[in-house]
Amino acid sequence: MGTGEKERKKNRVKFSPSGIAGILIRKIIGVHKKYGMEWWIMIAGIIIILFTVYMALFPETLSPFDPLDQNAGPQLSPPGPVNPLGTDNLSRDVLSRIIHGSRTILGIAFTAAVLASSIGITLGLLSGFAGGITDRILSLIMDSIYSFPGLILAITFAAMLGPGVINITLAVSVTYIPTYFRLVRGQTLSIKEEVYVEAAKAMGAGRAVILARYIFPNIIATVVVLFSMNIADAIITEAGLSYLGLGLPAGVPDWGMDIALGKRFLPSGSWWVITYPGLMVVILALGFTMLGEGLAELLNPRLIEK
Amino acid sequence: MKHVLKYIITRVILTIPMVFILLTFVFIILRIMPGDPVSAMLGAHAPEYVIQEKKEALGLNKPVYIQYVEYLAQLARFDFGESMIFKQKVSSPIIEKLPATIELGIFGMLFSLVIGIPPGAFAARKRRSLPDFGIRLYGNIVWCIPVYWLGLMLQLVFGIWLDIFPIAGRTGTKVFPSLFERTGFYLIDTLITGNITAFLDVLYHIFLPALTLGIYLSGVYIRLTRANMIDILKSDFILAARARGIPENKIVYNYALKNAFIPILTMMGLQFALLIGGAILTETTFSWPGMGRLLLERIYSRDYPTIQGIIVVFALGISMISLIVDIIYALVDPRIKY
Amino acid sequence: MNSPVCEIKNLHIEYPIAIGTVRAVEDASLNLYPGKVLGLVGESGCGKSTLGLSLLNLVRPPGKVSKGSIIYKGQDILTLPGKKLLKLRGRNISMIFQNPLTSLNPLMKIKDQFYDTMIHHEPGLKKEAAMKRIEELVELLGIEKKRIHEFPHQLSGGMRQRIMIGLALIMKPDILIADEPTTSLDVIVEAGFIELLNQLRQTYNLSVMLISHNLGLVAEIAERVAVMYGGKIVEEGSAESIYSNPLHPYTLGLIQCIPNIKLENQHLFTMPGSPPDLVHPPPGCRFSPRCPKVMAQCRKELPPLIRKNEQKVACWLYRENR
């Protein structure tokens, strides 16, 4: 009897925000010795992200030129001492454009992920918790959207809404709502059946209480992982949209757009104009993927066991 | 055989709601979204009566639910309507461009299976070793590479620096498609007409775009294969086979891989959306005259009926693929009861 | 008694895990004799299955044998090179597993699973000859021969269990390791299995290691019994002497756990406590925390396995008789 009670205490998640944060921090710090490789991958991801965030927040401290300055050097000059990553066809400094472009891509990807997650999680919680006909209809719609190519969806939305930072953010975020919905709904359904939730219901806890104190804290770990992966994906989608010329008004420095503009000068051998912005997309997306994988490994006991 | 047929018929009937929802979804995106296609097309300064006339001609001034019913009725007759801009049926450019995309998609898929599945299986076998780590890293990096940029980089290396592969188009300048074009699938057309030079030229042109698409998708297959193989290699029948002395290579690449292939196949159906997205971006990079480029061209020229037609074709394609995958699944796995 | 077909000597098996090392098997020594059944008994997690797998050098990674040897036909199985090991598995030593429902490849017909094993051990074997042998064996096991053309999911649980046995016996091995072979079967199938095993070991002069948590099952068929607790063999002897005169308190407890339908008004005996943590085993005797006859010494020192009458036992109660 004594052991049973202890077991239950051990398995129960502490239902307060500070408790959750505490568990996260303790887990992350506590287990790094056991999972060497995953730990270092995650650290590498965090370093990449922090560096890009710094670039996005304080581009002036790093960039040698103004991103729109058309007198940064000769036209299409290869990387050299004055322009470390070369210049584009309008004599703008590629490095400065990359540094300033980080703000656009990071801002859009992050905002889109926040939007998609808040809508997707809310709908998923409600659908999984309410059940019945609401759940059926919502699931059917979300599954259909999910099966549709995200990029085409985003392209269509972006084309309908017209160019603009807010519009492209909306177009990117729509694509990811079903991903959150499906995950959260599935988890809600299984947690709803757990004994401790049944017990809370029997003791008279209302729906809102059960959602906020029992179900949400239990899905937060998976959502955190998905959020990180989602930003990685949103970065690639954003770059794709602006590469296709569907995203942003001219004048906003953006990696995807720089690739599209530099593409024409590739056959003449000016590789630096497109290589560096593309590389940055890869590195930044990789940073968020690595963070997500590390978190998945650290937060998921089932994965650790493997 | 009779059972299989019955299963297929049931499965076809089950596909109908999915198609219906996707079609409705396309309608909602294009009609209820903010933004008025006619004024967007004619420009902001067009006089009001011109806009009204155009709307009437296109049936856009009717109530939304009537438009919806008309839209479905039209599609049921496989009629996609008329282009807003060009004097042509919506279906004619689609019929012209679709084979190019299918050809690219199939080759990209083949490349991705070849690049993805064997390394994934190998990584699962050598779990937590250096090769496993390397293969997983490759999978993650490839997943994060924008496919169009990968295409540009391959163009740079193989097309410009090494100059061994063409970087644009389906054929070279000395090969005239009009001489052999029948179905639009150039590889089939050239073979039918016995035009071997043209066949090789088409193959030569498809190599780099298909490789791009293949590398892009291979990351997904590596992950899928590795995860499924790890699960299967832990199962009882693998241990039992080992206990009978069956060599490890046979166990991994025959017993386990065949069993892992079933979940991989299911996932392949789901990844089809990824393939379409990848194909569109690859097409723009390699000037490949397919559906992706058609969609973008029509988006730039705001030809809404054609855009709608293209998206409907994609939606139908997705439903078809998921149906085909299910049928293959049933044929591969003896445990499925029809 | 004739000479053993296989000798396990001072075997130690360890599993390194995140929080330390699990000592799954410690200092185990056992002999297997042709035509005889050795029962290996213990609670789940005591290391008996790991010990069984080590006879094929198939301990699941990251587990590994850290000390000891297993001598079969004059060579140590644990140091055999890979190719020879593959020849040995399934041909000289075979194993059947706990769950017949998941131990067959679901995508292969029964006959192909047989044929794969046979062709590996007898390269160049003709398909017709192989089919004939498979059909004969399957009929001996009480299954219609046409069933070999079916997939595993088309057979019942009992049939699959018999197919598993057939796969283990097709190469006429010397040793059969049966790991909880009847746990997932119902009582009637279990009775049939025991009868079949008895018959087969006489026909093939088979040496059987029967691994089970069920002392009752082992009692019906085994000549010798070894009892494992916490990775160590705590008692070993002939089946009769162990049942009539169990020495170790743990063995006594196990025997009392066998329900006896003849007794009226009985209390089903249960052993208090749970199996030991093998990462941090209790100092002294592994069983001391649960032992009803525990003494001060038990908690400090590990008792050695000593001879007592016909049996061997590892318990401080019998120290003066050494």
Side-chain angles (χ1 to χ4, degrees):
Chain A
M1 212 191 89
T3 50
E5 205 169 288
K6 228 185 266 169
E7 280 289 298
R8 231 178 300 135
K9 269 196 184 145
K10 226 193 287 171
N11 289 342
R12 201 165 53 193
V13 177
K14 283 185 190 126
F15 303 123
S16 71
S18 62
I20 298 159
I23 287 173
L24 284 178
I25 291 166
R26 233 174 300 141
K27 272 200 160 169
I28 290 168
I29 294 173
V31 293
H32 77 276
K33 277 183 194 137
K34 288 185 265 173
Y35 315 104
M37 200 63 103
E38 275 76 18
W39 174 253
W40 290 115
I41 288 175
M42 196 177 80
I43 293 293
I46 291 175
I47 290 172
I48 292 172
I49 295 167
L50 287 181
F51 186 71
T52 321
V53 168
Y54 179 81
M55 258 175 23
L57 291 177
F58 311 106
E60 306 82 17
T61 59
L62 296 170
S63 97
F65 293 93
D66 186 279
L68 303 175
D69 182 1
Q70 303 202 352
N71 289 308
Q75 266 187 23
L76 290 174
S77 66
V82 183
N83 307 103
L85 303 182
T87 58
D88 66 6
N89 58 315
L90 296 175
S91 298
R92 295 176 298 193
D93 183 48
V94 172
L95 176 64
S96 305
R97 289 191 65 78
I98 285 178
I99 291 171
H100 281 86
S102 64
R103 180 180 285 183
T104 320
I105 195 163
L106 206 58
I108 290 175
F110 183 77
T111 318
V114 170
L115 261 177
S117 60
S118 37
I119 299 173
I121 293 170
T122 314
L123 289 179
L125 277 173
L126 289 178
S127 186
F129 198 68
I133 189 87
T134 328
D135 181 42
R136 289 253 195 96
I137 293 174
L138 268 175
S139 304
L140 204 58
I141 294 171
M142 289 292 172
D143 282 351
S144 307
I145 303 179
Y146 184 77
S147 70
F148 205 75
L151 185 75
I152 293 180
L153 204 63
I155 287 176
T156 319
F157 267 85
M160 292 284 113
L161 295 170
V165 175
I166 294 171
N167 290 350
I168 194 174
T169 311
L170 288 177
V172 174
S173 74
V174 171
T175 339
Y176 299 108
I177 294 174
T179 321
Y180 287 99
F181 174 87
R182 285 162 59 103
L183 180 90
V184 171
R185 176 181 169 269
Q187 293 227 337
T188 308
L189 281 181
S190 60
I191 293 169
K192 207 168 74 169
E193 307 297 322
E194 295 278 342
V195 182
Y196 62 83
V197 176
E198 292 287 328
K201 262 191 230 164
M203 289 189 303
R207 286 182 164 213
V209 175
I210 289 174
L211 264 180
R213 299 193 55 188
Y214 291 81
I215 292 179
F216 191 69
N218 274 291
I219 57 173
I220 194 81
T222 355
V223 168
V224 167
V225 173
L226 181 63
F227 188 75
S228 183
M229 299 288 199
N230 177 198
I231 293 182
D233 223 69
I235 285 167
I236 299 166
T237 308
E238 192 276 346
L241 284 181
S242 53
Y243 169 76
L244 295 176
L246 289 168
L248 297 165
V252 180
D254 181 78
W255 298 346
M257 218 150 68
D258 282 356
I259 298 175
L261 294 175
K263 196 177 128 182
R264 279 180 293 147
F265 307 100
L266 190 63
S268 55
S270 307
W271 53 270
W272 54 91
V273 187
I274 60 159
T275 304
Y276 293 116
L279 210 54
M280 285 307 295
V281 175
V282 179
I283 291 171
L284 186 55
L286 203 57
F288 280 101
T289 308
M290 291 191 317
L291 173 64
E293 294 229 320
L295 283 174
E297 203 88 12
L298 294 176
L299 295 174
N300 189 342
R302 199 181 63 84
L303 278 174
I304 290 170
E305 192 193 294
K306 277 188 189 172
Chain B
M1 215 41 220
K2 209 174 171 188
H3 296 295
V4 181
L5 204 66
K6 199 177 154 200
Y7 172 82
I8 291 173
I9 291 170
T10 325
R11 193 57 195 73
V12 170
I13 293 169
L14 285 176
T15 312
I16 292 172
M18 185 185 172
V19 174
F20 186 73
I21 288 179
L22 279 175
L23 294 182
T24 309
F25 187 64
V26 172
F27 178 82
I28 292 173
I29 297 181
L30 288 169
R31 302 290 169 90
I32 300 180
M33 288 284 298
D36 174 3
V38 176
S39 21
M41 187 185 101
L42 298 174
H45 305 294
E48 187 60 25
Y49 72 95
V50 179
I51 292 179
Q52 283 308 324
E53 253 171 38
K54 191 79 187 174
K55 273 190 177 176
E56 211 151 306
L58 292 165
L60 289 175
N61 55 346
K62 294 178 191 163
V64 171
Y65 65 91
I66 291 181
Q67 286 187 41
Y68 177 64
V69 172
E70 281 178 354
Y71 158 80
L72 287 182
Q74 222 182 16
L75 285 179
R77 299 192 303 268
F78 290 101
D79 177 6
F80 292 114
E82 294 264 339
S83 162
M84 258 191 199
I85 313 264
F86 305 94
K87 290 243 179 292
Q88 64 180 167
K89 276 189 162 320
V90 164
S91 51
S92 57
I94 293 179
I95 291 168
E96 190 193 325
K97 308 285 183 182
L98 194 56
T101 298
I102 294 177
E103 216 166 60
L104 176 63
I106 288 174
F107 270 79
M109 185 77 108
L110 287 179
F111 268 112
S112 71
L113 294 180
V114 172
I115 308 170
I117 290 182
F122 184 76
R125 180 184 169 177
K126 304 271 175 192
R127 209 161 148 236
R128 296 213 177 275
S129 69
L130 203 63
D132 176 31
F133 182 72
I135 290 169
R136 279 171 74 193
L137 189 68
Y138 164 84
N140 275 340
I141 290 178
V142 157
W143 175 242
C144 291
I145 295 183
V147 60
Y148 50 89
W149 183 74
L150 177 67
L152 290 169
M153 289 296 114
L154 290 178
Q155 285 184 349
L156 180 68
V157 175
F158 293 104
I160 294 164
W161 286 346
L162 299 176
D163 198 14
I164 45 177
F165 280 107
I167 60 172
R170 291 178 81 185
T171 54
T173 44
K174 286 173 192 153
V175 172
F176 302 102
S178 51
L179 293 180
F180 53 77
E181 192 157 4
R182 300 278 187 286
T183 60
F185 296 95
Y186 283 6
L187 284 169
I188 297 175
D189 292 345
T190 47
L191 278 184
I192 291 174
T193 50
N195 193 339
I196 297 301
T197 344
F199 176 76
L200 291 177
D201 186 65
V202 171
L203 214 53
Y204 182 52
H205 275 78
I206 205 172
F207 183 82
L208 220 46
L211 181 67
T212 306
L213 195 52
I215 292 176
Y216 166 66
L217 292 170
S218 69
V220 183
Y221 289 115
I222 284 180
R223 266 185 201 206
L224 277 178
T225 311
R226 183 176 174 277
N228 281 305
M229 284 290 280
I230 284 174
D231 274 356
I232 297 228
L233 284 174
K234 277 188 204 153
S235 56
D236 292 344
F237 76 88
I238 295 291
L239 183 66
R242 283 192 179 129
R244 292 199 295 275
I246 310 280
E248 194 62 17
N249 269 331
K250 183 157 195 176
I251 286 181
V252 173
Y253 297 111
N254 185 339
Y255 282 44
L257 197 53
K258 269 188 195 162
N259 275 279
F261 190 67
I262 292 169
I264 292 172
L265 191 73
T266 332
M267 294 304 288
M268 251 167 81
L270 291 177
Q271 301 304 336
F272 185 69
L274 209 63
L275 177 74
I276 292 186
I280 287 187
L281 290 169
T282 310
E283 282 178 8
T284 50
T285 298
F286 284 91
S287 313
W288 192 261
M291 294 286 280
R293 281 195 56 200
L294 182 68
L295 175 67
L296 287 169
E297 276 164 20
R298 297 306 159 104
I299 280 178
Y300 297 142
S301 60
R302 306 201 169 270
D303 182 2
Y304 289 89
T306 312
I307 298 173
Q308 177 180 295
I310 294 168
I311 297 177
V312 165
V313 168
F314 282 140
L316 289 176
I318 287 163
S319 314
M320 282 272 294
I321 291 289
S322 97
L323 176 66
I324 291 171
V325 165
D326 271 11
I327 290 170
I328 296 177
Y329 188 107
L331 295 177
V332 172
D333 190 344
R335 282 164 299 184
I336 297 266
K337 293 206 174 65
Y338 302 121
Chain C
M1 198 180 278
N2 46 7
S3 59
V5 59
C6 179
E7 295 169 69
I8 301 170
K9 290 180 183 167
N10 308 98
L11 194 70
H12 290 71
I13 301 175
E14 294 178 348
Y15 281 89
I17 59 165
I19 50 169
T21 305
V22 177
R23 292 190 199 98
V25 176
E26 250 185 303
D27 202 15
S29 298
L30 287 169
N31 289 340
L32 295 172
Y33 295 95
K36 306 282 182 200
V37 176
L38 170 74
L40 190 58
V41 188
E43 289 167 297
S44 48
C46 72
K48 54 192 195 310
S49 295
T50 309
L51 180 59
L53 283 171
S54 70
L55 263 83
L56 292 169
N57 201 356
L58 254 182
V59 177
R60 286 189 196 248
K64 60 175 196 299
V65 176
S66 53
K67 244 192 259 171
S69 57
I70 299 173
I71 306 298
Y72 169 79
K73 285 191 176 166
Q75 17 183 19
D76 184 358
I77 291 173
L78 300 172
T79 57
L80 272 186
K83 278 210 171 132
K84 282 196 174 171
L85 195 63
L86 288 184
K87 284 285 164 203
L88 174 118
R89 290 177 186 163
R91 180 199 187 103
N92 303 110
I93 305 181
S94 296
M95 188 154 180
I96 52 181
F97 293 91
Q98 187 165 6
N99 197 343
L101 301 180
T102 55
S103 293
L104 293 168
N105 186 345
L107 298 186
M108 257 174 127
K109 286 182 178 165
I110 303 296
K111 59 171 181 181
D112 295 326
Q113 310 208 21
F114 273 102
Y115 186 68
D116 258 16
T117 313
M118 295 163 85
I119 196 79
H120 167 65
H121 292 296
E122 285 174 44
L125 181 71
K126 288 271 186 322
K127 191 121 193 180
E128 299 78 49
M131 284 307 143
K132 210 166 155 234
R133 265 166 62 193
I134 299 167
E135 284 170 359
E136 274 169 19
L137 179 63
V138 165
E139 284 191 322
L140 181 73
L141 295 168
I143 298 175
E144 290 169 82
K145 62 182 180 189
K146 64 171 189 205
R147 302 302 290 264
I148 63 168
H149 303 285
E150 296 183 359
F151 286 100
H153 71 275
Q154 291 166 299
L155 306 181
S156 71
M159 277 187 202
R160 276 186 252 183
Q161 177 66 291
R162 276 174 280 169
I163 294 294
M164 283 294 302
I165 297 169
L167 279 167
L169 294 181
I170 188 77
M171 299 311 297
K172 301 198 168 64
D174 298 327
I175 301 170
L176 176 71
I177 304 153
D179 186 1
E180 302 273 6
T182 60
T183 305
S184 56
L185 301 177
D186 59 58
V187 190
I188 295 170
V189 183
E190 181 180 301
F193 170 79
I194 290 165
E195 200 177 306
L196 180 68
L197 198 62
N198 250 330
Q199 210 181 354
L200 291 169
R201 69 151 149 165
Q202 275 154 23
T203 332
Y204 292 113
N205 200 26
L206 198 61
S207 171
V208 180
M209 182 194 260
L210 179 64
I211 300 169
S212 178
H213 66 278
N214 182 349
L215 203 55
L217 169 76
V218 171
E220 286 182 62
I221 183 168
E223 278 88 15
R224 293 187 66 78
V225 175
V227 180
M228 271 186 96
Y229 185 81
K232 292 187 74 74
I233 293 176
V234 293
E235 186 163 5
E236 192 202 331
S238 71
E240 302 103 79
S241 65
I242 284 201
Y243 285 102
S244 57
N245 182 25
L247 295 174
H248 200 283
Y250 177 65
T251 317
L252 185 66
L254 278 183
I255 289 174
Q256 284 172 332
C257 285
I258 304 173
N260 189 338
I261 44 171
K262 284 176 199 147
L263 289 176
E264 276 178 39
N265 201 4
Q266 61 166 324
H267 296 283
L268 199 59
F269 182 86
T270 51
M271 221 181 286
S274 52
D277 172 1
L278 293 179
V279 181
H280 309 288
C285 178
R286 302 279 187 262
F287 190 55
S288 57
R290 298 167 75 186
C291 185
K293 296 179 183 167
V294 63
M295 304 178 294
Q297 192 181 14
C298 301
R299 299 193 196 277
K300 286 182 217 135
E301 269 180 88
L302 202 61
L305 195 66
I306 55 162
R307 185 164 287 280
K308 158 88 179 165
N309 307 337
E310 294 296 289
Q311 285 142 264
K312 287 182 198 160
V313 64
C315 180
W316 289 120
L317 284 174
Y318 306 98
R319 189 193 180 189
E320 64 277 9
N321 297 0
R322 188 155 22 161

